Amino acid sequence: MTILLGSIADDYTGASDLANTLTKNGLRTVQTVGIPDPSLALPDVDAVVVSLKIRSVAAKDAVAAALEAESWLRGRGARHVLYKICSTFDSTDLGNIGPVTEALLSVSGGHIALVTPAFPETGRTVYLGHLFVNGQPLDESPLKDHPLNPMRDANLARVLTRQSRGKVGLIDLPTVTDGADAVRARLDRLRAEGAAAAIADAVFERDLETLGKAALEMPVSTGASGLGLGLARALLRSGRASASDGENEAIRPVGGLAAVVAGSCSAATLKQLDAAELHMPVLRLDTEKLLAGSDEISAAIAWAGERIGEGPVAIAASAAPEVVSRLQARYGREASGHAVETATAAIAGELVERGVRRLVVAGGETSGATVDRLGIPAFLIGPEIAPGVPLLRTIGTGGNDMLLTLKSGNFGGEDFFATALSMMR
């Protein structure tokens, strides 16, 4: 296997978001769950997205995992590695965006990284280094309230500086508008001034194309899926990759039962659960009972067992922000999040044991825990269900193929669950 583009994603839903973007823009792409076992036969592809769970772990652990993935990707021919982060840039003053980016630079021979979470298609834009969500500064938008890493500062240069050893510069919109050569020249100047990273403005899709063309000539970049769009188009236009449609195998029917499992507490997911009740039975778990150690999981499995033979069911450990805040205050932020993701993954695992082969999972941490619980090594990327959310087909599961969707909490319209299940056969 020789690949053109490698990526290290800091969570599983972000990985499928990026893999979806690369596929839509013409690259044959596979998403792996961690570094694949040598015995796993992967198809010939242009790009590999290695899914990790390093967004909210200790910085030293994130760095170690990212460096191992980087070595694997370079060993398979990747000349450029994108560190894929969330488009809300959610992180703490300790990391992990800065420490991982600097570690990747240190082993790749690069001296500066272009950094941008912009993705105008999903309402994320960057102007003068500030991140906006649908026109609102990040710290004034609903997305400021990430359950693990709340974002209270829209100034990304300031955020990244607090978690980095090197200086952080800015590539402003006028420079981006002047083209890839102007961006490269600005990066050279910033590097000469001692900067290790540069936040890049992007307001329109054409800005992403400019940034992708400039970044492709460097060994490392950091960004959301919008930067992946730019990199993919730059590869195609350079002639190094040929446009390909790799969706057919991914959507071959698998049959079996269908279910939704949700752990996200985002406003979007809460609305999607309300809409789902028009189409399927929905069980809302009592999060406080989960945290208190009651037998909510067994009760949920029994509830599903009585209904799933008649059609899809949904089980959710999702709660309104004020409930989440109260539980975090009582039990601790980390303990609360761990309890929810562990419970939802256990429920998903039990449902698969009982014949579910079509599964929709909502929430980044829930998705990661579920995929690990199921032991899935890799995915083929299928058609897009909603912006940033593709249909996935398992690879390496011993003939027991499944169709999955791993949805970041904030993604998708109100009818997302019904739409996703209608695309799974």
Side-chain angles (χ1 to χ4, degrees):
M1 169 186 269
T2 300
I3 60 177
L4 298 173
L5 177 65
S7 179
I8 301 162
D10 66 1
D11 79 347
Y12 292 5
T13 55
S16 60
D17 175 11
L18 174 61
N20 172 65
T21 298
L22 298 179
T23 300
K24 282 174 57 181
N25 285 279
L27 298 187
R28 298 169 300 160
T29 306
V30 163
Q31 174 184 345
T32 70
V33 180
I35 297 173
D37 186 276
S39 65
L40 180 66
L42 296 176
D44 289 331
V45 291
D46 303 307
V48 173
V49 180
V50 178
S51 317
L52 301 177
K53 292 197 296 181
I54 60 173
R55 182 177 300 175
S56 302
V57 303
K60 64 180 180 60
D61 297 330
V63 166
L67 290 180
E68 187 179 4
E70 190 268 357
S71 177
W72 186 87
L73 290 165
R74 299 288 187 196
R76 278 138 192 88
R79 292 172 54 190
H80 184 90
V81 171
L82 167 65
Y83 174 39
K84 197 281 176 189
I85 60 172
C86 182
S87 62
T88 55
F89 216 79
D90 59 85
S91 54
T92 71
D93 287 351
L94 298 178
N96 290 333
I97 297 172
V100 172
T101 298
E102 291 183 332
L104 293 174
L105 284 171
S106 71
V107 298
S108 67
H111 301 292
I112 190 167
L114 185 154
V115 181
T116 187
F119 201 176
E121 180 184 351
T122 58
R124 277 54 156 187
T125 56
V126 178
Y127 180 65
L128 295 180
H130 290 69
L131 178 56
F132 293 82
V133 178
N134 296 319
Q136 288 183 290
L138 173 63
D139 55 339
E140 299 176 18
S141 77
L143 301 192
K144 71 181 185 298
D145 296 316
H146 188 280
L148 293 178
N149 304 317
M151 293 300 293
R152 302 294 188 251
D153 192 350
N155 185 323
L156 300 186
R158 196 159 54 206
V159 171
L160 193 56
T161 295
R162 290 196 293 264
Q163 54 184 260
S164 302
R165 292 174 298 175
K167 296 180 181 178
V168 178
L170 172 67
I171 305 170
D172 61 15
L173 190 60
T175 302
V176 177
T177 302
D178 283 343
D181 289 341
V183 172
R184 292 191 196 102
R186 175 64 175 158
L187 286 166
D188 288 342
R189 288 195 297 274
L190 289 171
R191 182 174 60 184
E193 295 168 4
I199 300 294
D201 284 355
V203 175
F204 303 104
E205 192 170 280
R206 63 176 179 268
D207 300 330
L208 299 175
E209 294 180 351
T210 297
L211 296 177
K213 184 177 180 181
L216 190 61
E217 303 310 314
M218 302 183 294
V220 173
S221 63
T222 295
S225 294
L227 186 53
L229 176 152
L231 291 165
R233 292 185 183 177
L235 276 169
L236 291 172
R237 289 169 182 170
S238 72
R240 282 181 261 175
S242 300
S244 174
D245 180 357
E247 295 180 355
N248 290 338
E249 174 62 19
I251 60 174
R252 184 164 49 85
V254 297
L257 303 175
V260 174
V261 175
S264 167
C265 296
S266 71
T269 298
L270 294 175
K271 290 179 181 178
Q272 289 158 357
L273 288 167
D274 289 341
E277 290 184 313
L278 301 175
H279 307 282
M280 68 190 81
V282 176
L283 175 64
R284 299 176 189 261
L285 301 176
D286 186 320
T287 310
E288 187 152 19
K289 287 183 178 179
L290 281 178
L291 293 170
S294 74
D295 204 13
E296 281 284 281
I297 295 175
S298 296
I301 296 302
W303 176 90
E306 295 172 358
R307 294 163 176 82
I308 200 166
E310 302 299 319
V313 299
I315 299 177
S318 302
E322 60 272 16
V323 176
V324 175
S325 297
R326 176 172 56 80
L327 294 176
Q328 288 178 341
R330 180 173 180 180
Y331 295 98
R333 184 184 299 273
E334 186 173 336
S336 300
H338 180 72
V340 169
E341 68 184 71
T342 300
T344 48
I347 289 167
E350 289 294 329
L351 292 175
V352 170
E353 286 288 328
R354 287 160 170 73
V356 167
R357 291 293 177 268
R358 295 170 289 146
L359 180 65
V360 180
V361 187
E365 301 301 324
T366 295
S367 293
T370 297
V371 170
D372 287 348
R373 174 80 176 227
L374 297 178
I376 298 169
F379 297 102
L380 285 173
I381 312 302
E384 185 177 67
I385 300 167
V389 191
L391 185 151
L392 303 170
R393 186 186 190 88
T394 58
I395 299 174
T397 47
N400 295 317
D401 288 357
M402 293 181 61
L403 294 178
L404 284 90
T405 297
L406 307 178
K407 185 191 85 72
S408 179
N410 294 301
F411 282 18
E414 291 190 12
D415 61 348
F416 177 84
F417 293 138
T419 300
L421 290 170
S422 72
M423 294 176 65
M424 298 177 173
R425 301 296 181 192

